[in-house]
């Protein structure tokens, strides 16, 4: 009887741990998907900004002179 109760308690503890781990994995997966979406959006915005900077630098003539601290 005592061994059976100990085995049942251990089994319940393992089931509880698995349930918590399963919940954690699901939350982690959701967060990972959201982070991937954010990274994709930031990359697209970065490419757009890089293109705009390149367009501006092609149309802008920068004088070749020393900075004021020289």
């Amino acid at each position: 009887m005592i061994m059976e109760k100990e085995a049942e308690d251990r089994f319940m503890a393992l089931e509880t741990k698995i349930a918590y781990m399963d919940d954690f994995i699901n939350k982690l997966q959701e967060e990972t998907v959201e982070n991937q979406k954010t990274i994709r959006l930031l990359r697209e915005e970065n490419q757009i900004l890089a293109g705009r900077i390149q367009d501006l630098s092609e149309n802008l003539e920068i004088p070749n002179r020393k900075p004021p601290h020289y």
Side-chain angles (χ1 to χ4, degrees):
M1 277 290 173
I2 293 176
M3 294 285 260
E4 194 173 299
K5 176 69 173 146
E6 287 177 12
E8 185 178 328
D9 288 347
R10 290 178 69 192
F11 183 73
M12 291 294 287
L14 287 172
E15 283 185 329
T16 302
K17 284 184 179 182
I18 290 171
Y20 278 113
M21 291 170 96
D22 190 42
D23 182 57
F24 176 76
I25 289 169
N26 287 333
K27 288 179 181 176
L28 188 60
Q29 183 177 11
E30 290 172 7
E31 189 69 26
T32 301
V33 169
E34 287 300 315
N35 286 342
Q36 287 174 339
K37 289 178 184 177
T38 301
I39 290 170
R40 190 176 311 116
L41 177 65
L42 290 171
R43 283 183 175 160
E44 290 172 2
E45 289 176 354
N46 188 28
Q47 287 178 346
I48 291 169
L49 289 173
R52 287 183 182 171
I53 289 172
Q54 187 173 358
D55 290 345
L56 287 173
S57 66
E58 289 173 357
N59 297 329
L60 183 66
E61 209 172 296
I62 300 173
N64 190 8
R65 54 185 159 164
K66 291 183 180 180
H69 62 277
Y70 279 100

